[in-house]
Each structure stands twice: as C-alpha cells, then as structure tokens.
Amino acid sequence: MGQATSSQADKFASRAELLEYFDARAVKLFTVPELVSFKARLQLNELQDAVSEDILVAELDMEPEVQLTRRVFKLIKLLQNFPVINTVGTEITGYGLLKTMAVLNADRFRKYVNSKARQEVLLLIGLFDADPGEPSKELDLEKVLSSYDGIDTSNISVNCGELHDILTWLLALAVDYPTKNCIINRDDTKEHIKDYERCSSSILHTVKQEAVKCCADHRVTLDEFISVLDIVLQPLFNPLSNFFEHLLFRTDELVMHQNDVKDVGYNNLLSPAIVAQFSLSLPKKIQITKLQKLYIGKEHGFSMRSLQAKVFKWMAPTIMIIRGTRIVNDDLYADKKNPRYKNFLEHYPKLKDTEQKLDLVHASKKKVTYVIYIDEPWKVTNKEKFGGENMTIIELTPIQETYLASAPRSSYFNTVGGGIGFGCDQPKIKPNQIRYKPGNVSLTIDSNLEFGVFRHVSRGGTFNIGSVINNKNGYVDPFEIRFVIQAVEVWGCGGEKELAEQLKELEWEQAEVKRRQAVNLKSLSEDRALLEMAGLVGQSNSGGSV
C-alpha cells in the first residue's frame, strides 16, 4: 500500500475523510461470502449499523458487565476509528469489527497498513489505559500512523491484576480457538481456569517482578510489556485473530476440529494451559501441533530405566516437563527430611550461598517448572552427548524465560549413574563416586529422578543465558535453583508423518504385549493342569509333599 498511501496523503481534507478511506480499504480485505455471513451472524443490514452489545457478548462467548469484556469492547471502539484512534466511538459498528479483524490478522494488517506503526502497540493502546493526548493536527498519513494519532505511548499502563486477567484470557483463547471456523466448546477451559491463571501469573512476574508481592499495587507500562513480548511472548496475540474472525462464519458453517492440545487433558502435568504457555517461547521454526504421551513418572515409575523403555523408540522430537519444589535450606532439608539429598550434594559442586543472587520472584517462590524441547531422538550417551541446535530449555514457573542451545551435542543420558544433563559435561564416574559437571547454563537431574539443579552463572556454555536477561545487556547475576522433583513427563511431538509412523509402532508393540500375555496365560493354564494331575497343587494343598 506504499504508493497508494503517498498518492492519497495530500487528498485528505479532514479526519472524517481519512477514516472513510480506511473503512473502505478494510472491506476490500474480506470476501463476499465472509461479509454475507458476518452480517447474518450479527444481524446487520448495513456495515455502518451499530452492533447490539448483547448479541456481540453472546457470539464472542464473553461475560457481560465484567472489566475484561469492557476492555475488549474498548479495543474494538478504538480500532474502528483507525487510523484516527485518538477519537473513540461510542457504539460498535460492522465497520468497526471488520477493521478490528484487519488489524489483528497479521497477513491482513500488512496489506492494510504500510507503516512503522506496530500491530502490538495498537492492541495495547486499546487494552491498556491510555492518555489520549492531542490528536494529530496534520493529515499526513504516515505521521498519523507512526504517532498513533498523537497518543503518548510512554504514558500507557495497566493495573497488574487486570493484566493478569487479560493474559489468562489470551492463553485460554489459544486452546479454544485453534482455527477461525471451528465449533467452540469452552466448558473444559472454564472448568480449569485456575490452571490458566497459574500460567498467566508466571508471565506477569516476568514482566513485573514487583507483582509477586502485591499485584493490585503495581502497574505495567506499555514499554515494560513490549520489552518482554518481543523476546519470549511473540505469539501471545495470535489467538485474537481466530477469536474475532469466528464472526465471519454463520453457526451452520462452523466445522468440528480435532483439537490436539485439548486431547492432552488436565489430569497430567502437561495440561492444555501449559502447552499454550510454553508454545509462546518456542522459536518460530518449531511448531507443536500434536502430542503423544510417552512417559509419566507417576504412572510408569521414577527411574531412568522406565523412561528409557517408554521414550527411546520415539524417532521424532519430544517435550520433557519437570516440576519440583525449590530446596531453600540445604542442610535443614538433608538432615530433617531427606538424607539422600546430602549424598547428592556430595557429588554436585553447588554454588556457595555468597555467590547466589536470586531475583525477587525466585527468592519468593518455591514451585519450579521447566520444559525442555529435545529436537533429536533420545539415546544412551555414557561418553558422548546428543541434541541438535534447536534444543531449548523453557522456564515456566515462577517466571517465563527461554534458554536456547548455542551448540549441538549439549545433553546426555547416562545409564551408569550420571543421570540426565542439559548443558552439562558428562559427569566423572568412578567406583562408588560421581562428580557432576554442570555448565554455565544447565539443568542437571540425578539418576533416580529425585533431585534437579538449574544453574545460570554466565555466558559461554552450550546454552545461552536467558533471553530476558540477555536483553538487559548487563552483568549476569549468578543463581542456582536446587529442587526436589515432584513430577516428570515426556511427550512425543512431530508432524503428521512422524506421528503416524510412531503410533503404528506403538500400536504394534501394545498388540505384541497382549499376544504374549495371552500365550503365557494359556501356557500357565496347561502347566497348572499337569501339576494338578501330579497332585502338586489343588485340592486345598499349598504345595507338594515327599
């Protein structure tokens, strides 16, 4: 639209004319069938007609008269006046909703606006509290767009409590709206909303550490939020496009969609809310579409052997998720609760307390959760290491942070007592002696899957320092999180082809187990008959006699 913009710039005689021009441009971004269905869905005769807020609340499945709904409506009213957004309409119109969709959809936005104006800033102006300032007096289109119609973006903020509600809603939308034309059933999400709230708390603490103390007393500025959004939360607003574009279909045009994320269920550590959260921090080239349960510690047993038996035949990437409780006082925990921890510390070169510089959130919270994206099939590596360049460690609790692999071969699975390590060197193992060798940024798990340590001391390892920390371009404060493991799970992921092959292999193995069980039972029955004939069992005897 670059040439169209410059040729039109001198022709706008008023803000009303500029607004009318972008109304017309928005309509051209939609097909005739979409517009027909849109008007029918919202009971509109013309696009300039006002939309009933009651109908809109019902069609968007939102709660009436709550602060979140009011903020969403404020966003629509702001975007329907695009690009002269310093004047907010009083009623939502058909044009307003179409323009909202044009801004929220990345592909449409590129066609709609050719400017330095950022899609995310427009959304946050609408969702946060903004001081309108002075509207642009000049009708130079580029200046109107790049200045957001004169709105002072440095003076935009939102209360932490309300931001928490927004984040919770966005995470839920990512699960409930996998496509724009799917039939929606949000019952599971609403029933497990606490799960989404816990995830959004970690995101909030990443943006504003002070919120860990008293959420209601703090505000987050637009700049603070953007600085984290750009680094570890880039896809956060993507679900909004499907959410609004759902209105482009009549209800009888919606179709059933196999929601792979919802199939994960809420009974495991890896829940739909967790998937929505960690997906925000995965590199763009990594797409998680399907997940297959491979290993659940609480079901299969907390042991390297059980994990190996369940996971090593999966010839595609996997997700490992670990949850634990931070050990605050090493000596007290080892002496009073778990003497095995003392043995672990004898083999692990922990940071001294004087070297520890935990930030406010980590010092205040005990629960920790890590997700590791393993981009290669698992293998036993008692001397070598495995893992490709896309290996990623994502911290989910108490904050959201990303640690990207800086080199391949960053991990090991050591079956002779060394446990599992990400970003570590192979442990030194001698008879009755183990010496762990944690890296600068590393996650160490003992061979019993009982204790874990996340270390973050400096640059230079096979994993980069945290993305949020790195963005500050300052000194890296060393810290170490030592924790007792409460849950471990491994899930297989990959494309359709990989999943089909792996599922076929798993089905064959399960059928083979059942076949062998049937053979063994038949054999056992025949053997018992022979023993009974010999008088060795049966007839109320507990054994034979001589």
Side-chain angles (χ1 to χ4, degrees):
M1 135 167 190
Q3 292 181 348
T5 299
S6 58
S7 62
Q8 288 285 338
D10 296 332
K11 298 180 181 179
F12 297 120
S14 66
R15 292 169 66 84
E17 187 177 317
L18 183 55
L19 180 61
E20 187 177 315
Y21 171 71
F22 272 88
D23 285 353
R25 282 184 62 79
V27 176
K28 293 178 182 179
L29 296 172
F30 300 89
T31 66
V32 172
E34 286 175 332
L35 293 172
V36 170
S37 297
F38 173 75
K39 291 168 70 174
R41 183 85 175 266
L42 295 173
Q43 302 177 29
L44 296 174
N45 293 319
E46 303 294 338
L47 292 176
Q48 62 264 30
D49 292 346
V51 177
S52 164
E53 290 197 2
D54 290 339
I55 292 177
L56 192 54
V57 164
E59 295 299 330
L60 292 179
D61 194 15
M62 299 198 74
E63 300 292 333
E65 299 302 321
V66 298
Q67 183 62 27
L68 176 61
T69 301
R70 286 193 286 269
R71 286 194 178 273
V72 173
F73 281 11
K74 172 178 169 286
L75 171 67
I76 299 170
K77 291 175 182 178
L78 178 132
L79 294 180
Q80 77 177 1
N81 269 35
F82 183 82
V84 286
I85 57 176
N86 220 316
T87 306
V88 178
T90 56
E91 290 184 318
I92 295 174
T93 67
Y95 276 124
L97 280 167
L98 290 179
K99 292 174 78 172
T100 299
M101 295 178 202
V103 172
L104 292 176
N105 183 293
D107 292 332
R108 286 196 173 101
F109 184 73
R110 281 191 290 269
K111 298 174 183 177
Y112 192 42
V113 180
N114 183 20
S115 164
K116 295 179 181 179
R118 289 190 57 180
Q119 182 187 31
E120 298 88 348
V121 174
L122 286 166
L123 295 177
L124 294 173
I125 291 173
L127 291 173
F128 286 13
D129 300 320
D131 182 355
E134 291 294 328
S136 297
K137 295 180 180 179
E138 296 183 40
L139 291 182
D140 177 277
L141 182 54
E142 179 53 38
K143 289 184 178 180
V144 172
L145 292 171
S146 61
S147 71
Y148 304 99
D149 196 24
I151 292 177
D152 181 8
T153 57
S154 66
N155 199 28
I156 295 174
S157 65
V158 67
N159 175 274
C160 284
E162 292 188 42
L163 178 56
H164 183 263
D165 292 342
I166 294 170
L167 294 170
T168 301
W169 177 61
L170 291 172
L171 288 174
L173 291 187
V175 174
D176 288 331
Y177 289 82
T179 66
K180 62 184 178 182
N181 67 331
C182 60
I183 294 174
I184 302 298
N185 183 347
R186 304 192 66 194
D187 291 343
D188 281 351
T189 301
K190 292 177 179 178
E191 182 181 349
H192 297 91
I193 196 65
K194 293 293 184 183
D195 201 13
Y196 293 87
E197 290 176 350
R198 283 190 290 269
C199 294
S200 64
S201 292
S202 294
I203 299 174
L204 178 61
H205 296 153
T206 311
V207 179
K208 193 79 171 181
Q209 290 216 351
E210 293 83 352
V212 74
K213 290 294 185 181
C214 185
C215 187
D217 291 343
H218 297 282
R219 298 186 70 82
V220 172
T221 67
L222 182 144
D223 289 340
E224 286 176 327
F225 191 80
I226 286 287
S227 66
V228 174
L229 179 74
D230 287 344
I231 300 164
V232 292
L233 306 172
Q234 283 215 339
L236 181 65
F237 291 118
N238 290 355
L240 278 178
S241 178
N242 287 345
F243 173 70
F244 279 105
E245 293 196 9
H246 207 255
L247 299 174
L248 298 175
F249 300 84
R250 296 193 309 271
T251 53
D252 61 343
E253 295 174 326
L254 300 175
V255 298
M256 291 297 297
H257 174 79
Q258 183 65 34
N259 193 330
D260 304 313
V261 172
K262 276 197 171 182
D263 288 344
V264 170
Y266 291 90
N267 296 322
N268 300 299
L269 173 56
L270 188 67
S271 67
I274 291 288
V275 175
Q277 185 189 353
F278 81 70
S279 295
L280 295 174
S281 293
L282 283 173
K284 288 183 179 180
K285 55 188 171 184
I286 298 174
Q287 299 294 324
I288 303 296
T289 55
K290 289 180 178 291
L291 289 163
Q292 173 69 27
K293 182 168 67 174
L294 300 178
Y295 167 80
I296 307 294
K298 64 182 180 181
E299 295 179 14
H300 303 126
F302 287 85
S303 74
M304 298 272 288
R305 181 175 295 180
S306 296
L307 192 154
Q308 182 179 349
K310 296 293 182 181
V311 172
F312 275 49
K313 293 179 182 178
W314 185 264
M315 295 294 107
T318 51
I319 293 289
M320 184 180 197
I321 180 167
I322 302 169
R323 176 169 291 170
T325 301
R326 183 169 67 90
I327 299 171
V328 179
N329 187 312
D330 292 323
D331 295 333
L332 182 63
Y333 182 79
D335 293 339
K336 301 293 185 181
K337 294 186 177 181
N338 194 336
R340 292 185 301 277
Y341 182 60
K342 183 177 181 180
N343 182 61
F344 171 74
L345 288 182
E346 289 176 355
H347 305 304
Y348 185 88
K350 71 169 188 172
L351 289 183
K352 297 178 181 178
D353 291 340
T354 55
E355 297 173 320
Q356 285 270 34
K357 294 186 179 179
L358 284 179
D359 59 41
L360 178 62
V361 180
H362 285 100
S364 302
K365 298 290 184 179
K366 290 186 178 180
K367 296 296 183 182
V368 294
T369 309
Y370 299 95
V371 164
I372 306 96
Y373 175 77
I374 298 104
D375 59 350
E376 290 186 351
W378 289 70
K379 61 182 71 172
V380 174
T381 49
N382 292 336
K383 294 184 179 180
E384 304 297 327
K385 294 197 288 186
F386 75 100
E389 296 180 351
N390 291 324
M391 290 276 291
T392 306
I393 300 173
I394 301 172
E395 181 181 358
L396 295 184
T397 310
I399 66 169
Q400 181 142 351
E401 178 64 287
T402 306
Y403 310 90
L404 301 172
S406 58
R409 307 292 171 260
S410 60
S411 308
Y412 65 76
F413 186 93
N414 188 298
T415 58
V416 291
I420 304 171
F422 302 101
C424 310
D425 287 336
Q426 281 279 1
K428 186 176 181 179
I429 300 175
K430 294 182 178 181
N432 300 320
Q433 185 179 2
I434 300 172
R435 189 64 175 174
Y436 293 101
K437 297 182 178 180
N440 291 349
V441 177
S442 60
L443 178 60
T444 304
I445 302 166
D446 80 317
S447 59
N448 296 316
L449 307 187
E450 186 173 14
F451 306 115
V453 184
F454 180 78
R455 173 175 286 197
H456 188 279
V457 294
S458 66
R459 296 175 172 85
T462 52
F463 277 87
N464 290 312
I465 64 171
S467 299
V468 175
I469 294 171
N470 189 46
N471 188 58
K472 296 177 181 177
N473 293 321
Y475 176 74
V476 179
D477 288 332
F479 67 90
E480 191 171 78
I481 306 293
R482 297 182 290 277
F483 58 96
V484 57
I485 295 173
Q486 296 174 320
V488 182
E489 297 179 3
V490 181
W491 294 72
C493 52
E496 297 286 346
K497 181 180 178 181
E498 292 91 343
L499 282 163
E501 292 174 353
Q502 298 299 318
L503 290 174
K504 186 176 180 180
E505 176 71 17
L506 288 173
E507 288 171 0
W508 180 87
E509 289 182 2
Q510 291 171 358
E512 182 67 8
V513 169
K514 290 180 180 179
R515 184 188 69 80
R516 289 177 176 176
Q517 287 176 340
V519 171
N520 290 339
L521 287 172
K522 182 180 179 181
S523 175
L524 178 61
S525 179
E526 293 173 349
D527 292 343
R528 182 177 180 84
L530 290 172
L531 291 171
E532 287 178 348
M533 290 174 63
L536 296 177
V537 298
Q539 291 85 40
S540 301
N541 294 330
S542 60
S545 61
V546 283

